[in-house]
Amino acid sequence: MALRLAASPLAISRSSPRIVAALRASSSIHSRVYFHASRNAAAATGKSSADVTDVYKAVPYKQPHINQLHGSYHWDFERLLSISMVPLFAASAMQGAHPITDSLLGVVVPIHCHVGFDAMITDYLHPGKVGNLGNKACTWTLRGVTLLALYGCYQFNATDIGLTELVKKAWTA
Amino acid sequence: MAKTTFAKTRLMAPVGIRILSTSQSSQKEVTVAPLIEQRKNRPLSPHLTIYQPQLTWYMSMFHRVTGGAVAVGFYAGAVGYAVAPMVGMGFDAAAITSVIATVPVGAKIAAKFIVAYPFTYHCLNGIRHLAWDTTRFMTIKGVYQTGYAVLGLSTVSAVALALI
């Protein structure tokens, strides 16, 4: 089953005399392609083609470093934020605009949204689907947008009428 | 010839062996890239379309969908207000309220219901989630009873808010 190496995309590199000599000097197994049912079978025969299985090299499993900031503390923080939103929205609805409730809203709501979006990125835009780079890009984009949202809320509370007053006015406009 | 990965996959590989085209150098990226490429060529088994509709996962789905929708709206407003001065757009409370005032009453009530319903649903279902986190209502009966309660309360409160 000798294959025509001239069809290979490496044809250009083979014009180099060093590489040509290396190819000629290589053992005859490199002029044949061997297909095996499994890597164990390939290892058993002692003959295998050029090794694309290097890609799937078995790496000894390393237990991930235990970091409670990414684990239970993150969960605690999520629930703390969610619980705090109940009295916050109640106070905001009952008493109207107040600098403290408005500032708290402008911090708690964007962070709560961020946590939710982060969960969606983990579920739908994970490295297995979009690659490590894609996943990291999404995560850092989300962080940038959340920072912008936090800044926007701060500016609105500081220089405009405030979040509670906006909802009240817009709702009854 | 050296038995390096480069030698084996670049110099010595005959035709018929897939040659990696990624230039990532880390081990993890090298092992994941071909798997991602393969996944793009495979069809996906049906999942949401064939699973029996149930209150449990429908409400869970809507919790995420409504949360995402309300959050997108909130972010759009906040980020819009933050960058409006840079693009010269007049985007402040007075402009918003004056635009809303020009809308007819029927459209206003409909729009308020459309905005309020995801918000009330997400809030009340969120309280249901927090109750689960204290291990309450963790039975089929509890899940369904609280689920119907959330559905009823969120609809009623959304209607009430729309009529303010």
Side-chain angles (χ1 to χ4, degrees):
Chain A
M1 224 165 70
L3 293 178
R4 293 171 55 241
L5 288 176
S8 146
L10 302 171
I12 298 175
S13 67
R14 244 173 288 107
S15 58
S16 148
R18 252 189 70 216
I19 294 179
V20 167
L23 278 174
R24 238 185 251 125
S26 67
S27 68
S28 62
I29 67 168
H30 288 294
S31 64
R32 292 165 187 272
V33 176
Y34 293 87
F35 297 95
H36 300 279
S38 68
R39 271 184 286 154
N40 288 336
T45 60
K47 287 187 246 185
S48 56
S49 3
D51 216 323
V52 77
T53 57
D54 268 353
V55 169
Y56 303 101
K57 186 188 300 184
V59 179
Y61 176 70
K62 269 189 292 198
Q63 187 153 44
H65 183 67
I66 294 173
N67 185 0
Q68 274 177 314
L69 275 178
H70 291 158
S72 68
Y73 289 174
H74 188 262
W75 189 94
D76 293 341
F77 177 68
E78 267 188 51
R79 312 298 137 154
L80 209 69
L81 271 185
S82 305
I83 291 180
S84 71
M85 283 170 81
V86 178
L88 196 56
F89 274 100
S92 167
M94 287 194 292
Q95 79 175 163
H98 190 285
I100 296 183
T101 43
D102 282 344
S103 327
L104 280 174
L105 277 171
V107 167
V108 171
V109 173
I111 298 183
H112 181 77
C113 294
H114 176 90
V115 167
F117 281 135
D118 197 46
M120 289 170 83
I121 290 180
T122 308
D123 284 345
Y124 307 130
L125 299 172
H126 50 87
K129 190 187 265 188
V130 298
N132 273 326
L133 187 65
N135 179 264
K136 277 208 159 70
C138 289
T139 305
W140 282 98
T141 307
L142 175 65
R143 288 174 183 162
V145 175
T146 302
L147 278 174
L148 260 179
L150 281 165
Y151 170 70
C153 285
Y154 166 76
Q155 276 295 340
F156 192 82
N157 284 330
T159 62
D160 215 316
I161 52 176
L163 290 167
T164 312
E165 194 60 26
L166 170 70
V167 172
K168 196 188 253 183
K169 280 218 164 79
W171 208 255
T172 55
Chain B
M1 204 63 207
K3 288 247 194 285
T4 58
T5 307
F6 174 74
K8 284 193 240 183
T9 58
R10 289 282 183 277
L11 301 180
M12 310 302 266
V15 180
I17 297 294
R18 187 221 319 259
I19 295 179
L20 297 173
S21 56
T22 174
S23 57
Q24 306 281 356
S25 53
S26 72
Q27 173 75 36
K28 208 167 160 201
E29 198 61 31
V30 164
T31 51
V32 161
L35 296 174
I36 296 175
E37 291 304 312
Q38 289 172 339
R39 279 175 201 138
K40 287 181 189 158
N41 294 329
R42 284 189 226 124
L44 193 62
S45 300
H47 46 297
L48 296 172
T49 44
I50 59 166
Y51 205 97
Q52 180 186 44
Q54 288 172 327
L55 196 77
T56 45
W57 64 275
Y58 263 45
M59 287 193 73
S60 177
M61 176 174 74
F62 277 113
H63 187 69
R64 180 163 269 194
V65 165
T66 53
V70 175
V72 163
F74 182 82
Y75 266 36
V79 172
Y81 186 81
V83 303
M86 296 178 216
V87 284
M89 210 171 47
F91 188 72
D92 64 345
I96 297 174
T97 47
S98 58
V99 165
I100 295 179
T102 61
V103 176
V105 178
K108 262 196 285 207
I109 294 183
K112 282 196 270 197
F113 180 75
I114 292 174
V115 169
Y117 200 9
F119 178 74
T120 56
Y121 176 85
H122 189 82
C123 278
L124 291 167
N125 206 29
I127 295 175
R128 183 166 165 245
H129 262 88
L130 290 171
W132 286 334
D133 290 333
T134 65
T135 73
R136 289 179 173 77
F137 308 118
M138 284 289 226
T139 61
I140 299 289
K141 209 169 186 185
V143 164
Y144 271 76
Q145 281 174 343
T146 50
Y148 287 126
V150 162
L151 280 175
L153 274 173
S154 63
T155 316
V156 167
S157 53
V159 170
L161 280 174
L163 295 175
I164 289 181

